[in-house]
Amino acid sequence: MLAVAPSSSAFPHQPSNHHENVHQYVSAQIRQLTPERASRASMGRALVRQENPQAAEPNQKPIRRVATEDTGRSTPNGVSAAEHDDTGTTVNGDGRSRQPGALVRSNTDVGPRRTSLSDRPNHAEDNWALRHGWDEQYNSTDYLNQLRSTFYMYYTDKRHETGGKPRHADPSRNTSEWRMRDRLKTVSAALTICLNIGVDPPDVVKTNPTAKLECWIDPTAGIATNNKTMEQIGKKLQEQYEGLSIRVRYKQYLDPSVEETKKFCQSLRRNAKDERILFHYNGHGVPLPTPSGEIWVFNRNYTQYIPVSLYDLQMWLGAPSLFVFDCSNAGNIIANFDRFVAKHEEENAEARANDPNAQLQTYADNIQLAACGKTESLPTSPDLPADLFTCCLTTPIDISLRFFLLENPLPSELTLKDVTRIPGRIAERRSPLGELNWIFTAITDTIAWNLLPRTTFKKLFRQDLMVAALFRNFLLSERIMRANGCHPMSVPALPETQNHPLWQAWDLTIEMALAQLPAMIAAEEGGPPYEYKHSDFFTEQLTAFEVYLSQGAPNQEAPSQLPIVLQVLLSQVHRLRALILLSRFLDMGAWAVNLALTIGIFPYVLKLLQSAAFELKPVMIFIWARILAVDGGCQVDLIKDNGYQYFLNMLNPNAQLPVPNASEHRAMSAFIVAMFCRGFSQGQTVCLSPELVETLIGHLKDDDNPLLRQWSCLCISMLWADFPEAKWVGIRCQAHQRLCEMREDDIPEVRAAALHALTNFLGIPDLTAQVAHYEESVATEIMSMTGDGNNMVRRELLVFFSAFVKRYQNKFLVAAFEQLAQEKSQLMASDVNADLNPKTGSLSRRPLSQTSKDGTTVSRNSIQGTMWMHLLIMSVDPHPGVAQDAKIIVDYVHETLLESPLGSRAQPLMNDIVKLSKRAEAVKSQPPSRQPSVAPNARRTPISGSPAPPALPKNESYLWTGMRRTASMAAALKHLAFGAPEQPPPSPPEKAATTHQRIPGGPVRKRVPPEWIKPPDVYDPTSQPKSYVKAKTPKPKGFTKRDPASPPSIPLKSGFFDWSIEVLHFIEFKANHIHENHPLTDLPYQYFGEPQMRPIDSEEPGSDDYNRKLWRRGRNEKVLACTQPLKGVAGTSKWDVPMGFFNNGTQPTKMCFHQFEDHLAIVDDRDSICIWDWTKNQRLSRFSNANPSGSRINEARFINEDDQALLLTGSSDGVVRIYRNYESESSVELVSAFRALTKMIPSTKMAGLVLDWQQGQGKLLVAGDAQVIKIWSAGSELCCTEIPARTSSPLTSLTSDAVAGNTLVAGYGDGALRVFDQRLRPQNAMVRLWKKHKQWITNVHMQRGGLRELVSGCRDGEVKFWDLRWREEVKTVKAVEGTMRGLSVHEHAPVFAAGSSTHTIQLYNMSMSSSSPSSQPQPQTPLSVLEPTSPSSYAGAAVTFLPHLHRSTPIAATTFHPHRMVLAGGAVGSNWVNLWGCRGAV
């Protein structure tokens, strides 16, 4: 949900303002919140989080932004009138007094008014004080503190945006791209050195002096023989390579002959099998490679140079192989290598064609490194080694130091010999030499990461340790060799890297190390001790990475420092900071996690699970949660070295963590354990213990952290899924009972998670009576969840039902068969008992007897029979996804029934039902005008004292209707959901009540005409089906219609677990609750599949969403500022200025203006909704509400109007639907749909459903043809309160105090008004009863602004004003003569409009001339008398009405704009809508 966050200071709420607007515009920004916020209490108990007025930052004064009445603008001195006490002293929110300031309020302001006694005119206080005594209440410090809170936007959570479905079927089970499935390693190496010391090759001319060093050994120095020197060089080269990889088997081949070369090459391939071989070739003592790529070796006597063809070399070594060629003209080898590989592959193809089973050697996978190009000679500088390329590949630090000293233009006291005296070892990272190697590895990895394609990087730098080391060093060789006139080559080819900026960082690192070298040498020779100052390279790079994170990763650009962060994890000094920054990066989404895994982060974080460091636990839990949210295939890795124990220990409530939000981290641990156990029997086995189950059950009681409750449920679910032993452990721990108790949890995700766990609880292989008892008790406990208001929960419930039906299939076949028999019996009884009413031409029904002769059935009172009836009802659920899933189960049972032994008896039953339904259709009367609303289960459970309602709508069976419409046996069970959809028009009043047909709405009062207690529109005609154009029905996001050709299959598959991984969960903790020395102080820990640690786009300054919200906020403030001063004008001026006139296409019955957008929602007398831009007379969209036949839309409301509004509709069948993108016909979506009102009384009074929406409280008040008022919590999507209506008369109108939300007023069909206080117990909630009206209450409304007037009107034309403190009405006005068709009250201006049955709309001023109660109608002249007109009259011609319209045509609908002085109206039988404005306010 979107929430409007107030400033950190105390904010006094102005009660006279529209509550949403006041809190909306004091906020600096709109931030995204969800019910899962850990710091907030559960939604059912508190939908707002109180702010501490003393919670301002130290040394900072609280800032108070105060909005004036209805404008949202601050007063000049920042103090509202609500803060002044009677003495004129200004009172702060904390009760301290300060000097009063000037406060000027306009005469049009009808809010609380405080002036000095001398300035107060006569009766001014009486005139301007708030109604109901709320003037003092709303100005009290306690009440202002109570309203100082965060208000939320509703139905905008991920469960609503995604439809409760995961984006991918199972993202965590996909093959991990970052894992090297074809990982290779170099197992053997041939170090081939052809120097022939003392003999120069014939085609090589050496300079004098020239380069001599081979592996840092001078072959010409000393008195050793050539053989000894060669051995030293070979041994040294092997040592250098061992520094890269110690596990490779090295073999030296010094000046080999061609025979030896062939022999050792073939031996290496035979021993290596399919692993990689390294072939290092030093050709400094033999001729240059030929243009065809041949290399040279010797004969046995060293008298000849023998060429070796690449074709032969490839055949001997095969693939995969790694070749290093250190010789002049080495580019010739690279240029010809692939040509010979292709030739080998052609030969293989021919051999394979001749013999498909032939064992063939592969040649394709080869990697080559060459020292120079085709025509280039190696450097001969005496300051450089002769094997410069080999030195770059094997001793990068030594050659880097030498190269830096040679290239440094500044004078230095150091010599080339001194640079070899840097202390330390390569393996010791804290030593000077080890640190240099550590930084070099980080730099080269980073250069490759930034410049290479990801696939190439993975192959060269992550597949093989030897290949990775050589290619890291090859990047250095490119820099050094190019500086000396050579261009190293490689296959695969790399982009140019010698000019990368990080080489400057490398030079700086070397310079800083060499600057300390003289002092270190002096200390080594006995001088003063010297402590080496470590490089700041990693610290600076982490800072750069932090800057990248602060920028939000625009366009998901990979950070250049990521490989450096990986290297920093090796250091205990920087490890914690690196992990924290890494966690922030992983929080950016799945793409960031994949990048981190690709770079090689996984082995490091896996190894860190063995660390006992206390401070690393929170961040390690978070990182592993992010990894598993993207890739769940790490279970085998966690079971190694008992890594999973790290998270099991964190689940223990006694485990200590260095953060205050330990429960959030336990929720992460529960998620990790759940992923570890998911589909992994080994994980389930090692985790199973009674202690773990007890711990998870204990976490279900954590009321402050819904995320922990949710993942504790899912962890139990994964633990015992397909694992009977775990289920028995759960039974002994009573886990199934604890999960059943979560059915009323305030968070829908928790309820769905509990159902997921209970579904996996089913299925213990040995189905004994004890097991059946456990499973049936679970099913009984959760049966009530069929009325849950959340679509996702109901779908998860159907998954449980499907598993239960599959497990007890035979019993459900019996229940379905008996239901068919009962259906036929009812149809036959209905057919026999029906007789034609000669006066009305309609079918009348007599009460039905019992459904079977003996009155007993096998499935009666069984859990299977009850569940089957619930499945039938859910098959016509208002949400298409829920209904479709239920239909699959019902269709499966019916098809299985036909194939069972009962099929021979079931098929005739179905045929008979179809025949009886056809016969009933043949005798149907003409289409009715109105349809009474019927409860979903009214047909099954008739109201006491009244006959049972008809068995089927229009004498149809569910089977026949379903087969006609969708070929689904469950598609037409609408009679189970809302009763008969259509009935004949009601009989005349004097014939309405008979001995056999008593109106179930309660006894009729004596001497009261029957029409007095019927709605004014009871006899209005409806659109005929032939002339009515059906609109498109919006579907939920992600909804996919089932293929009718696919056979139904159960159990249904749940996607809730995968969705839970993806969903956005907010988990925050306050920094001041953490230990002051802990580095996580400024890190908000949040969790799972989407970015959490950075602001969402709507909060990120500069983002499109943020700019849109900023624009909307400014637009809303402008609307408020412009309209509030017009309230005084509205109460004294004519309302006859034409503002708009358009053809809706269908007759409007309800209309609703958006507060800030130029949107007008119009619903017709069927099921269509039209959205108009009323300023342009342009229709934006039209769509269907998917009402069942015979029902209509009773209510329409905009919710979340301060930001992106949703459209809420209520229908006469008790269903509430919510739409997003309602203004776009192509993109409108169904957000939620649920049956808000059940057990509706079948009634010809047709009150249907009435509702009121409280944005500030997040509550939906619903009533109508029922004996209760239901209060639904929008946050929890549960019915939180049921208040008895205290009468059998239908409830016709509902209103409430939109600010505090405690008081609600209900109007009834018998003229009564009842006031309820939600804070009291439901049985004692009624606090006031008024019976001054004698007829049907047309409307009762309490203003959201202004004076909070409570106005009611009944059909006899009287309008009464009420004060909740008085037993009598304040004032009575005779608004219209005859029947009042509608009453509309402006939310802020003192104006109301009454629609009459004589085609007029009369507007009155609500201002009171006296505050004394008056029960007699007072004469009052209307401000205006309006008549809806035709297009010709609107254009300025003579007043003419539509052809089918006349002056006796009643008014169908009226409504005021909440802020603007605009009124909309329409008449019965007309499709045209008129808009009028107030003079002086347009």
Side-chain angles (χ1 to χ4, degrees):
M1 294 176 294
L2 286 175
V4 181
S7 61
S8 59
S9 64
F11 174 70
H13 186 285
Q14 284 295 312
S16 57
N17 184 21
H18 189 188
H19 67 286
E20 302 98 311
N21 307 324
V22 174
H23 289 82
Q24 179 77 20
Y25 305 114
V26 299
S27 165
Q29 62 181 357
I30 301 175
R31 58 189 174 92
Q32 179 83 15
L33 296 176
T34 64
E36 293 82 3
R37 175 178 291 279
S39 59
R40 207 185 83 221
S42 52
M43 295 295 297
R45 292 185 299 275
L47 289 176
V48 294
R49 180 164 53 89
Q50 300 297 330
E51 299 285 345
N52 184 0
Q54 305 297 332
E57 293 291 332
N59 303 323
Q60 179 182 356
K61 296 181 180 179
I63 301 174
R64 183 184 297 269
R65 292 186 62 189
V66 181
T68 59
E69 155 63 12
D70 289 322
T71 66
R73 296 172 296 174
S74 298
T75 58
N77 58 355
V79 182
S80 69
E83 294 181 290
H84 291 270
D85 61 12
D86 293 333
T87 63
T89 303
T90 303
V91 182
N92 286 329
D94 55 6
R96 293 175 295 179
S97 300
R98 53 187 175 90
Q99 294 300 320
L103 179 63
V104 180
R105 305 178 74 87
S106 65
N107 291 333
T108 59
D109 188 359
V110 294
R113 187 176 179 86
R114 285 284 187 268
T115 58
S116 63
L117 296 176
S118 60
D119 296 335
R120 190 178 298 174
N122 294 335
H123 304 294
E125 183 178 4
D126 295 335
N127 290 340
W128 295 107
L130 284 180
R131 185 65 64 193
H132 320 300
W134 288 344
D135 188 26
E136 296 180 0
Q137 175 187 353
Y138 284 176
N139 292 337
S140 67
T141 302
D142 294 340
Y143 192 75
L144 294 177
N145 291 336
Q146 179 184 353
L147 293 180
R148 189 178 302 121
S149 55
T150 299
F151 283 80
Y152 295 90
M153 300 296 171
Y154 298 92
Y155 296 101
T156 57
D157 292 329
K158 281 293 178 179
R159 62 177 179 267
H160 305 114
E161 295 178 359
T162 62
K165 287 187 174 182
R167 289 190 295 264
H168 308 288
D170 191 355
S172 63
R173 314 306 293 177
N174 294 336
T175 302
S176 304
E177 296 181 358
W178 60 273
R179 289 183 183 270
M180 302 300 297
R181 301 299 180 184
D182 54 346
R183 191 181 187 94
L184 297 174
K185 60 180 179 179
T186 303
V187 295
S188 301
L191 306 181
T192 307
I193 305 175
C194 298
L195 292 181
N196 196 14
I197 297 175
V199 180
D200 292 334
D203 56 353
V204 175
V205 179
K206 296 184 177 180
T207 61
N208 190 15
T210 187
K212 298 179 181 179
L213 299 179
E214 298 282 353
C215 297
W216 303 106
I217 296 176
D218 185 356
T220 62
I223 57 174
T225 63
N226 291 343
N227 290 338
K228 291 292 185 180
T229 303
M230 283 294 294
E231 290 177 2
Q232 292 176 3
I233 294 174
K235 184 178 180 181
K236 183 66 174 179
L237 180 61
Q238 180 174 336
E239 290 178 356
Q240 293 175 183
Y241 265 107
E242 287 175 347
L244 303 182
S245 178
I246 192 65
R247 297 184 179 180
V248 178
R249 298 189 298 270
Y250 297 97
K251 186 67 174 177
Q252 306 168 28
Y253 298 100
L254 310 178
D255 293 339
S257 64
V258 63
E259 293 82 4
E260 292 174 345
T261 302
K262 177 181 179 180
K263 182 179 180 180
F264 72 69
C265 286
Q266 292 177 339
S267 175
L268 286 175
R269 173 49 58 198
R270 187 168 50 253
N271 295 332
K273 298 181 181 179
D274 294 331
E275 299 291 349
R276 180 174 281 119
I277 296 172
L278 169 64
F279 180 80
H280 177 95
Y281 176 74
N282 182 331
H284 296 173
V286 294
L288 302 178
T290 65
S292 61
E294 295 171 314
I295 62 175
W296 299 88
V297 291
F298 304 96
N299 63 358
R300 292 181 181 272
N301 299 323
Y302 297 97
T303 58
Q304 291 181 345
Y305 299 107
I306 307 299
V308 176
S309 169
L310 284 179
Y311 178 87
D312 293 334
L313 185 63
Q314 292 170 358
M315 184 171 58
W316 299 338
L317 287 175
S321 296
L322 169 60
F323 296 90
V324 176
F325 300 107
D326 186 358
C327 59
S328 298
N329 292 8
N332 286 327
I333 306 174
I334 302 297
N336 292 278
F337 198 94
D338 289 342
R339 179 166 60 90
F340 291 105
V341 170
K343 187 175 181 180
H344 281 296
E345 292 298 331
E346 291 176 1
E347 294 174 355
N348 281 350
E350 294 177 1
R352 194 174 293 108
N354 296 330
D355 183 7
N357 299 323
Q359 299 292 328
L360 302 176
Q361 175 66 49
T362 59
Y363 301 96
D365 188 6
N366 291 291
I367 299 174
Q368 301 130 56
L369 300 176
C372 57
K374 291 182 179 181
T375 59
E376 294 176 346
S377 298
L378 297 178
T380 58
S381 171
D383 294 326
L384 297 174
D387 60 344
L388 178 61
F389 185 62
T390 299
C391 289
C392 290
L393 294 182
T394 57
T395 56
I397 305 304
D398 294 339
I399 195 64
S400 293
L401 294 170
R402 180 179 289 258
F403 177 73
F404 176 82
L405 199 59
L406 293 175
E407 295 293 323
N408 186 9
L410 300 177
S412 174
E413 299 178 355
L414 297 174
T415 64
L416 294 178
K417 184 177 180 181
D418 291 334
V419 298
T420 62
R421 300 183 61 181
I422 292 182
R425 295 190 306 118
I426 293 293
E428 296 178 358
R429 284 186 294 270
R430 297 302 295 169
S431 66
L433 189 60
E435 185 180 61
L436 285 175
N437 183 71
W438 185 22
I439 296 174
F440 174 79
T441 302
I443 288 177
T444 51
D445 258 9
T446 303
I447 293 175
W449 168 259
N450 292 332
L451 299 181
L452 268 61
R454 293 289 175 259
T455 54
T456 304
F457 178 83
K458 286 168 57 179
K459 178 180 179 180
L460 300 182
F461 288 82
R462 291 297 179 265
Q463 190 182 62
D464 187 340
L465 292 178
M466 175 62 78
V467 174
L470 287 176
F471 268 90
R472 273 195 295 266
N473 300 342
F474 178 78
L475 301 182
L476 176 66
S477 73
E478 277 204 318
R479 186 184 189 216
I480 296 178
M481 298 292 288
R482 285 175 181 267
N484 289 275
C486 292
H487 296 78
M489 302 177 65
S490 68
V491 176
L494 303 184
E496 293 186 1
T497 61
Q498 71 277 5
N499 295 321
H500 195 278
L502 275 178
W503 287 124
Q504 299 177 11
W506 175 236
D507 290 340
L508 177 61
T509 301
I510 293 178
E511 183 177 10
M512 298 301 294
L514 292 180
Q516 302 179 70
L517 183 57
M520 290 187 290
I521 293 176
E524 186 178 322
E525 294 176 350
Y530 181 80
E531 183 178 356
Y532 179 73
K533 297 178 181 178
H534 294 280
S535 173
D536 294 332
F537 173 79
F538 288 113
T539 302
E540 294 170 352
Q541 292 299 318
L542 287 178
T543 302
F545 186 47
E546 192 169 4
V547 171
Y548 163 86
L549 295 174
S550 66
Q551 295 175 349
N555 301 322
Q556 296 186 357
E557 181 180 353
S560 59
Q561 301 85 8
L562 193 56
I564 298 176
V565 176
L566 177 66
Q567 291 295 323
V568 173
L569 294 180
L570 301 174
S571 168
Q572 293 185 358
V573 176
H574 305 290
R575 181 175 295 163
L576 181 57
R577 185 188 179 195
L579 285 173
I580 293 174
L581 295 178
L582 177 63
S583 65
R584 290 177 56 187
F585 175 68
L586 298 181
D587 181 64
M588 292 183 172
W591 67 273
V593 177
N594 281 320
L595 280 179
L597 293 174
T598 302
I599 200 66
I601 203 72
F602 186 78
Y604 293 82
V605 294
L606 181 63
K607 187 68 175 178
L608 285 175
L609 292 180
Q610 308 303 318
S611 172
F614 182 66
E615 67 279 1
L616 296 183
K617 290 182 179 181
V619 67
M620 284 298 297
I621 292 173
F622 177 82
I623 289 175
W624 269 97
R626 300 299 300 194
I627 291 175
L628 289 175
V630 174
D631 186 350
C634 305
Q635 297 154 317
V636 177
D637 302 285
L638 282 176
I639 209 169
K640 295 177 181 177
D641 300 325
N642 297 328
Y644 65 92
Q645 284 288 350
Y646 193 91
F647 308 105
L648 289 180
N649 296 335
M650 292 300 101
L651 282 173
N652 191 328
N654 297 323
Q656 298 297 321
L657 286 171
V659 287
N661 59 336
S663 60
E664 280 78 20
H665 291 82
R666 292 193 178 95
M668 300 181 201
S669 299
F671 162 72
I672 295 170
V673 175
M675 292 294 295
F676 176 62
C677 295
R678 186 185 189 190
F680 187 49
S681 58
Q682 290 178 276
Q684 291 173 308
T685 303
V686 298
C687 288
L688 178 62
S689 67
E691 292 77 13
L692 175 61
V693 177
E694 291 285 358
T695 297
L696 294 173
I697 292 175
H699 291 324
L700 298 181
K701 302 176 182 179
D702 191 335
D703 294 336
D704 296 330
N705 192 341
L707 191 64
L708 178 57
R709 301 198 303 272
Q710 175 184 345
W711 280 103
S712 294
C713 293
L714 292 177
C715 187
I716 295 174
S717 178
M718 293 296 102
L719 181 62
W720 65 22
D722 300 321
F723 192 21
E725 290 81 358
K727 295 177 183 179
W728 283 112
V729 172
I731 290 174
R732 287 189 287 270
C733 297
Q734 298 182 341
H736 60 295
Q737 297 180 11
R738 299 295 176 266
L739 289 170
C740 289
E741 295 172 359
M742 308 304 293
R743 66 185 180 275
E744 296 181 355
D745 193 275
D746 296 327
I747 306 302
E749 288 83 352
V750 177
R751 302 197 297 273
L755 287 172
H756 191 281
L758 292 173
T759 302
N760 284 336
F761 174 74
L762 302 176
I764 296 177
D766 188 10
L767 185 54
T768 62
Q770 182 184 16
V771 172
H773 170 72
Y774 289 137
E775 295 180 345
E776 290 181 353
S777 64
V778 168
T780 303
E781 290 289 332
I782 65 174
M783 202 72 70
S784 61
M785 298 182 73
T786 54
D788 197 289
N790 183 263
N791 314 319
M792 182 177 62
V793 174
R794 297 200 304 275
R795 295 189 69 172
E796 201 62 31
L797 178 64
L798 285 173
V799 176
F800 175 90
F801 282 176
S802 67
F804 194 84
V805 169
K806 186 71 173 178
R807 187 158 172 82
Y808 299 93
Q809 180 171 296
N810 291 338
K811 294 184 178 180
F812 279 94
L813 295 181
V814 173
F817 177 81
E818 292 179 345
Q819 197 275 337
L820 288 174
Q822 181 184 10
E823 194 73 25
K824 177 185 175 182
S825 174
Q826 290 180 336
L827 273 173
M828 293 180 65
S830 175
D831 188 58
V832 171
N833 294 334
D835 56 66
L836 192 65
N837 190 321
K839 294 185 178 181
T840 64
S842 61
L843 288 173
S844 61
R845 307 282 187 179
R846 295 192 180 96
L848 297 177
S849 59
Q850 59 187 8
T851 59
S852 61
K853 294 182 179 180
D854 56 1
T856 60
T857 57
V858 175
S859 62
R860 185 176 184 181
N861 297 329
S862 68
I863 183 61
Q864 287 79 15
T866 305
M867 185 179 292
W868 178 246
M869 295 306 300
H870 278 292
L871 283 170
L872 295 179
I873 295 174
M874 295 183 75
S875 66
V876 288
D877 191 272
H879 190 275
V882 177
Q884 180 169 274
D885 288 350
K887 290 174 185 176
I888 292 175
I889 304 174
V890 174
D891 287 351
Y892 174 84
V893 173
H894 278 152
E895 291 190 8
T896 307
L897 175 63
L898 293 177
E899 297 172 358
S900 69
L902 289 174
S904 58
R905 299 181 60 187
Q907 187 64 61
L909 283 176
M910 294 181 180
N911 296 337
D912 292 343
I913 291 173
V914 172
K915 293 178 182 178
L916 291 170
S917 299
K918 287 183 177 180
R919 185 186 308 171
E921 277 195 347
V923 297
K924 284 192 302 182
S925 60
Q926 58 183 1
S929 61
R930 277 289 182 266
Q931 161 61 27
S933 56
V934 184
N937 54 356
R939 189 176 68 82
R940 299 299 181 191
T941 56
I943 304 300
S944 175
S946 63
L952 288 167
K954 300 182 291 186
N955 285 347
E956 288 185 0
S957 71
Y958 71 90
L959 178 61
W960 165 241
T961 310
M963 294 176 67
R964 280 194 302 108
R965 294 180 59 189
T966 64
S968 168
M969 298 179 185
L973 293 173
K974 295 187 182 296
H975 66 284
L976 292 171
F978 48 81
E982 293 188 7
Q983 292 292 347
S987 57
E990 64 273 7
K991 302 292 185 180
T994 66
T995 55
H996 296 286
Q997 273 188 312
R998 185 174 63 85
I999 297 175
V1004 179
R1005 291 183 292 185
K1006 295 181 180 180
R1007 294 182 298 278
V1008 174
E1011 64 269 16
W1012 284 19
I1013 53 176
K1014 289 184 180 180
D1017 59 349
V1018 66
Y1019 299 112
D1020 290 352
T1022 58
S1023 302
Q1024 298 301 318
K1026 293 182 180 179
S1027 62
Y1028 189 81
V1029 180
K1030 189 76 172 179
K1032 176 185 176 182
T1033 301
K1035 300 297 182 184
K1037 189 171 185 177
F1039 175 77
T1040 303
K1041 190 174 182 180
R1042 172 191 170 198
D1043 184 5
S1046 61
S1049 175
I1050 60 173
L1052 302 175
K1053 302 298 181 183
S1054 171
F1056 177 74
F1057 190 91
D1058 294 320
W1059 177 85
S1060 297
I1061 299 173
E1062 296 177 0
V1063 75
L1064 180 66
H1065 292 284
F1066 279 84
I1067 307 174
E1068 296 183 348
F1069 60 79
K1070 297 296 182 181
N1072 56 359
H1073 289 168
I1074 308 174
H1075 192 275
E1076 59 182 1
N1077 296 325
H1078 197 277
L1080 301 180
T1081 300
D1082 297 324
L1083 177 62
Y1085 257 72
Q1086 303 146 341
Y1087 189 45
F1088 289 172
E1090 295 188 4
Q1092 311 299 316
M1093 296 184 183
R1094 61 181 175 87
I1096 58 175
D1097 288 341
S1098 59
E1099 296 179 14
E1100 191 71 34
S1103 67
D1104 291 342
D1105 288 343
Y1106 181 86
N1107 291 337
R1108 292 190 189 100
K1109 290 180 181 295
L1110 199 63
W1111 178 87
R1112 281 193 292 266
R1113 185 168 70 241
R1115 186 267 321 267
N1116 299 353
E1117 291 175 342
K1118 183 179 179 180
V1119 170
L1120 293 173
C1122 293
T1123 58
Q1124 298 307 316
L1126 304 177
K1127 293 185 297 185
V1129 177
T1132 58
S1133 303
K1134 294 288 186 180
W1135 284 65
D1136 54 1
V1137 180
M1139 296 291 292
F1141 186 63
F1142 49 83
N1143 187 349
N1144 187 58
T1146 55
Q1147 177 190 314
T1149 57
K1150 294 288 182 180
M1151 295 185 288
C1152 180
F1153 280 100
H1154 192 291
Q1155 287 192 68
F1156 307 110
E1157 301 283 355
D1158 297 328
H1159 295 165
L1160 173 62
I1162 303 176
V1163 301
D1164 60 19
D1165 55 350
R1166 294 288 289 264
D1167 71 342
S1168 292
I1169 305 169
C1170 293
I1171 307 298
W1172 287 81
D1173 184 330
W1174 59 270
T1175 61
K1176 301 178 180 178
N1177 293 344
Q1178 177 184 354
R1179 194 178 77 179
L1180 303 177
S1181 67
R1182 178 176 181 263
F1183 55 91
S1184 170
N1185 196 50
N1187 283 11
S1189 177
S1191 65
R1192 58 173 178 166
I1193 305 174
N1194 292 120
E1195 298 281 358
R1197 295 283 195 280
F1198 289 107
I1199 66 175
N1200 302 345
E1201 294 174 274
D1202 295 299
D1203 193 55
Q1204 291 179 302
L1206 305 176
L1207 181 63
L1208 181 147
T1209 64
S1211 305
S1212 59
D1213 58 349
V1215 171
V1216 169
R1217 293 177 175 88
I1218 301 172
Y1219 301 95
R1220 79 162 62 88
N1221 304 327
Y1222 58 84
E1223 71 280 5
S1224 173
E1225 193 165 325
S1226 59
S1227 59
V1228 59
E1229 294 176 353
L1230 180 67
V1231 177
S1232 180
F1234 61 97
R1235 199 171 301 279
L1237 202 61
T1238 57
K1239 300 181 181 179
M1240 298 178 71
I1241 303 173
S1243 170
T1244 57
K1245 297 178 182 180
M1246 295 169 296
L1249 177 143
V1250 295
L1251 59 82
D1252 191 40
W1253 167 252
Q1254 296 179 345
Q1255 181 73 38
Q1257 301 296 319
K1259 292 181 180 180
L1260 180 66
L1261 284 60
V1262 181
D1265 289 332
Q1267 295 183 342
V1268 295
I1269 302 172
K1270 288 194 173 185
I1271 302 176
W1272 289 81
S1273 168
S1276 63
E1277 299 186 61
L1278 284 176
C1279 179
C1280 54
T1281 307
E1282 287 191 9
I1283 300 176
R1286 306 293 291 267
T1287 180
S1288 59
S1289 180
L1291 198 151
T1292 65
S1293 183
L1294 198 61
T1295 187
S1296 65
D1297 171 23
V1299 180
N1302 298 321
T1303 304
L1304 64 92
V1305 183
Y1308 292 82
D1310 59 1
L1313 293 173
R1314 287 177 172 83
V1315 182
F1316 300 90
D1317 192 330
Q1318 299 183 44
R1319 295 168 294 186
L1320 303 177
R1321 296 179 56 188
Q1323 294 78 6
N1324 304 325
M1326 192 183 77
V1327 295
R1328 183 76 67 196
L1329 171 62
W1330 293 309
K1331 289 188 176 182
K1332 300 301 180 180
H1333 289 295
K1334 303 303 180 184
Q1335 297 189 27
W1336 182 280
I1337 297 297
T1338 303
N1339 190 21
V1340 57
H1341 187 82
M1342 181 181 293
Q1343 285 184 300
R1344 296 182 179 181
L1347 292 178
R1348 310 286 187 191
E1349 291 288 0
L1350 177 60
V1351 186
S1352 67
C1354 72
R1355 62 172 290 161
D1356 62 1
E1358 287 189 353
V1359 176
K1360 294 181 182 290
F1361 297 80
W1362 306 90
D1363 192 304
L1364 297 177
R1365 299 168 294 178
W1366 298 351
R1367 296 182 180 274
E1368 302 293 330
E1369 65 268 35
V1370 176
K1371 180 182 179 181
T1372 302
V1373 175
K1374 185 65 175 179
V1376 298
E1377 296 297 333
T1379 303
M1380 180 190 293
R1381 297 299 302 262
L1383 173 67
S1384 297
V1385 181
H1386 199 283
E1387 294 291 0
H1388 301 281
V1391 179
F1392 71 90
S1396 70
S1397 59
T1398 58
H1399 200 71
T1400 61
I1401 302 173
Q1402 302 185 37
L1403 285 86
Y1404 293 90
N1405 190 333
M1406 291 190 297
S1407 298
M1408 306 299 173
S1409 59
S1410 174
S1411 60
S1412 60
S1414 175
S1415 60
Q1416 297 300 321
Q1418 299 179 14
Q1420 188 165 340
T1421 303
L1423 296 173
S1424 294
V1425 179
L1426 307 174
E1427 296 183 1
T1429 56
S1430 67
S1432 59
S1433 67
Y1434 181 79
V1439 177
T1440 59
F1441 293 89
L1442 295 173
H1444 61 282
L1445 218 58
H1446 49 82
R1447 291 184 178 275
S1448 63
T1449 304
I1451 298 299
T1454 59
T1455 187
F1456 281 103
H1457 191 285
H1459 297 294
R1460 301 186 187 275
M1461 305 307 144
V1462 177
L1463 172 68
V1468 174
S1470 171
N1471 300 338
W1472 293 87
V1473 175
N1474 290 254
L1475 301 177
W1476 298 277
C1478 176
R1479 293 183 184 181
V1482 178

